[in-house]
Amino acid sequence: EVQLVESGGGLVQPGRSLKLSCVASGFTFSNYGMNWIRQAPGKGLEWVAYISSGSSYIYYAETVKGRFTISRDNAKNTLYLQMTSLRSEDTALYYCARAYGATLDYWGQGVMVTVSS
Amino acid sequence: DIQMTQSPSFLSASVGDRVTINCKASQNINKYLDWYQQKLGEAPKLLIYNTNSLHTGIPSRFSGSGSGTDFTLTISSLQPEDVATYFCLQHNSGYTFGAGTKLELK
């Protein structure tokens, strides 16, 4: 069974940093691209970032480019999202999702990030 | 950027009803449209990918259709466990999500 479990969320002050993790199990992690998607309270879903299976290709939404860094450790079956210079508008539930082609076929349950002073 | 307009935002139907949810893209997205179900407190679940392909383990009462800019998710006979929010996702150019349809039982 494919499982994705996010962690690392919490309350952080504006301008500070936070690193999210997503541990994968039930499939060969190193064979799949991975994504981060977020949903702000009361808002729709927004794609955040993508990383290919071997980390050769990385893409970001314009809203986070230059502030967020996606990475992965295939030996640890773990996806990361390093978030810096956090803003109130980054407050959201963050999901990791596996890429099957360009389809997001399995998602985690999400981890909440709240940016507030 | 491609915009996705999903309708209706809210839908109330009875068990056994045929239910349809629509997504309209602001430009041609070919067949690259997926449908998801999200129950309260749970991870989104893929139902249909690339317009009309049923994901593994999804009941056959779910189906998808459309092409170009107009797409439809159909539940042929609504079941109580189908109460959820449904959203579409285009991946022809980047990723854009529909705003969601909240489906409840009448």
Side-chain angles (χ1 to χ4, degrees):
Chain A
E1 179 193 5
V2 173
Q3 282 201 312
L4 299 167
V5 179
E6 303 94 338
S7 63
L11 175 63
V12 61
Q13 292 179 327
R16 303 297 291 261
S17 300
L18 201 62
K19 188 172 186 176
L20 305 182
S21 299
C22 168
V23 176
S25 60
F27 66 102
T28 304
F29 181 69
S30 59
N31 286 351
Y32 290 85
M34 296 293 296
N35 294 266
W36 288 100
I37 300 99
R38 67 184 182 182
Q39 185 168 30
K43 300 284 184 67
L45 289 151
E46 178 189 20
W47 170 79
V48 173
Y50 165 84
I51 185 168
S52 62
S53 58
S55 304
S56 297
Y57 300 97
I58 290 175
Y59 305 104
Y60 297 98
E62 287 297 323
T63 51
V64 306
K65 197 176 288 185
R67 300 187 299 121
F68 289 12
T69 301
I70 189 172
S71 63
R72 63 191 295 161
D73 184 336
N74 286 344
K76 294 183 178 179
N77 290 345
T78 303
L79 173 72
Y80 302 102
L81 186 67
Q82 176 70 55
M83 304 183 292
T84 64
S85 302
L86 282 161
R87 307 166 179 167
S88 58
E89 55 264 38
D90 296 318
T91 293
L93 186 62
Y94 284 75
Y95 297 98
C96 62
R98 189 179 84 166
Y100 174 69
T103 289
L104 309 178
D105 65 345
Y106 290 96
W107 297 50
Q109 289 200 291
V111 61
M112 191 66 201
V113 172
T114 303
V115 183
S116 175
S117 54
Chain B
D1 288 5
I2 297 174
Q3 308 302 316
M4 299 301 299
T5 302
Q6 186 171 341
S7 61
S9 301
F10 182 81
L11 183 55
S12 182
S14 301
V15 173
D17 282 354
R18 183 181 182 87
V19 169
T20 60
I21 297 169
N22 301 293
C23 266
K24 186 175 184 67
S26 60
Q27 63 191 73
N28 181 16
I29 58 170
N30 299 295
K31 65 174 184 177
Y32 300 114
L33 190 286
D34 303 335
W35 291 98
Y36 296 82
Q37 176 193 68
Q38 187 173 24
K39 297 182 180 180
L40 204 60
E42 297 185 8
K45 183 194 309 187
L46 176 67
L47 301 174
I48 303 285
Y49 63 97
N50 293 342
T51 297
N52 56 14
S53 296
L54 197 64
H55 185 52
T56 306
I58 301 303
S60 59
R61 64 180 180 274
F62 292 93
S63 64
S65 62
S67 65
T69 60
D70 292 286
F71 300 85
T72 300
L73 171 70
T74 300
I75 307 173
S76 60
S77 178
L78 186 66
Q79 300 302 303
E81 60 267 31
D82 299 336
V83 169
T85 296
Y86 294 82
F87 60 89
C88 63
L89 167 64
Q90 75 79 22
H91 53 86
N92 181 74
S93 175
Y95 288 105
T96 314
F97 293 88
T101 296
K102 188 172 183 180
L103 174 60
E104 72 161 28
L105 284 180
K106 197 177 290 185

